[in-house]
Amino acid sequence: MTKRRLRQQAIIARVQAAGAYAVRDLAQELQVSEETIRRELKVLEASGAISKAHGAVSLPLGAVEGPFELRLRENAETKQRIARAVAGLVPEGGIVHIDSGTTSYYVAKALRQHKSLTVITNSVAVSAELGGRNDNRVFLSGGELDYQYKAFFDHRSCEYLAQFTPTLAVLSVGAISRDQGLMDFHSGEAAVNRIVYGKARTVILAADATKFDRYGLIRTAQLTDVDVLVTDLPLAPDYVEAFAHARIVIA
């Protein structure tokens, strides 16, 4: 994937998370000139992905769906394939934390036939998929609901989730790089997942190939914190080395 495409994806992710962004702030965060950002915005505006006015960028007026629904459609088939592979690693009767990412939501859908799961989550969408069926128990964190992400991220949610010690954690990620590790674009998502990395006995990271060689806003964890990586394409040699400690599953 080209640097321009990666930069455009990073712009879209930030605008989706915040609702609006100043051109100046985008340039500072992505460490490029404002002229470079304006060139990328011109392309994105022409494609209908964003709307630009008065030095700021936002989602188009017709984009009534929140980031969760938008991200569900990105690489949907790939995410579903990864999700089925992850579900095959979760035993019936298991105690599993599932985060609020869209790939993790597809994992929850793939687990609908599993029985007697104990599910810990901050995701309303995950709890809706797995609660009230097959003798599952679901522990959903509370607090202030982020309506766009359909999940809880505030301090009450973090305090609640910190009580649990799941056998497995199924986590997603916004970006992966060799030098910065695992990163996210949403500060709450990063904070919640940081807790889980420290609590779960085994961490399964579900990440499609578009997440590699990409930079996020906030560092969440180190590559060495991952026990099992489930992805859709064989890793480049440098990532094979970086994830040498982990089990790699290609969906």
Side-chain angles (χ1 to χ4, degrees):
M1 187 175 293
T2 66
K3 287 184 178 180
R4 289 203 66 185
R5 182 58 182 156
L6 289 169
R7 189 183 299 127
Q8 290 167 11
Q9 286 185 344
I11 290 169
I12 292 172
R14 282 165 168 77
V15 175
Q16 287 177 350
Y21 240 96
V23 172
R24 179 184 62 256
D25 293 340
L26 285 170
Q28 290 177 351
E29 289 188 15
L30 298 179
Q31 298 181 337
V32 295
S33 69
E34 290 188 24
E35 284 304 312
T36 296
I37 291 296
R38 289 191 179 95
R39 285 196 295 270
E40 304 298 12
L41 294 179
K42 186 176 181 180
V43 173
L44 293 172
E45 188 174 31
S47 71
I50 57 94
S51 178
K52 183 167 68 68
H54 307 298
V57 56
S58 62
L59 294 177
L61 292 177
V64 296
E65 294 178 311
F68 185 81
E69 287 82 4
L70 291 170
R71 290 183 296 126
L72 270 180
R73 295 201 298 266
E74 295 176 356
N75 302 317
E77 292 184 6
T78 299
K79 291 177 180 178
Q80 290 166 15
R81 190 166 74 249
I82 290 172
R84 290 191 292 270
V86 171
L89 302 174
V90 179
E92 293 199 351
I95 303 172
V96 56
H97 175 102
I98 303 177
D99 78 0
S100 59
T102 52
T103 304
S104 298
Y105 167 74
Y106 284 124
V107 171
K109 290 181 72 70
L111 288 170
R112 283 170 61 87
Q113 300 308 312
H114 276 53
K115 298 177 181 178
S116 303
L117 293 174
T118 297
V119 178
I120 304 140
T121 188
N122 63 319
S123 167
V124 173
V126 168
S127 67
E129 287 294 326
L130 295 174
R133 62 186 300 116
N134 297 341
D135 200 32
N136 293 335
R137 301 174 70 199
V138 174
F139 294 86
L140 175 63
S141 68
E144 182 179 359
L145 178 64
D146 184 319
Y147 290 98
Q148 290 190 318
Y149 278 74
K150 292 182 169 55
F152 300 96
F153 300 111
D154 68 9
H155 71 278
R156 289 177 290 271
S157 177
C158 290
E159 289 171 0
Y160 181 80
L161 294 171
Q163 302 176 84
F164 295 92
T165 53
T167 305
L168 284 175
V170 175
L171 303 178
S172 56
V173 70
I176 303 172
S177 79
R178 284 208 62 188
D179 57 336
Q180 292 297 325
L182 307 176
M183 294 160 284
D184 282 297
F185 295 103
H186 188 291
S187 60
E189 200 165 33
V192 166
N193 283 0
R194 233 179 259 123
I195 291 169
V196 182
Y197 274 105
K199 293 285 187 176
R201 184 181 304 171
T202 300
V203 171
I204 301 174
L205 180 67
D208 64 70
T210 66
K211 305 299 175 64
F212 289 84
D213 285 331
R214 184 179 179 185
Y215 282 82
L217 181 62
I218 300 171
R219 187 176 181 185
T220 304
Q222 302 179 57
L223 301 186
T224 52
D225 292 323
V226 175
D227 300 298
V228 182
L229 171 65
V230 183
T231 188
D232 58 311
L233 295 175
L235 301 183
D238 55 343
Y239 281 105
V240 171
E241 179 183 352
F243 282 100
H245 61 282
R247 176 185 173 187
I248 308 298
V249 177
I250 308 298

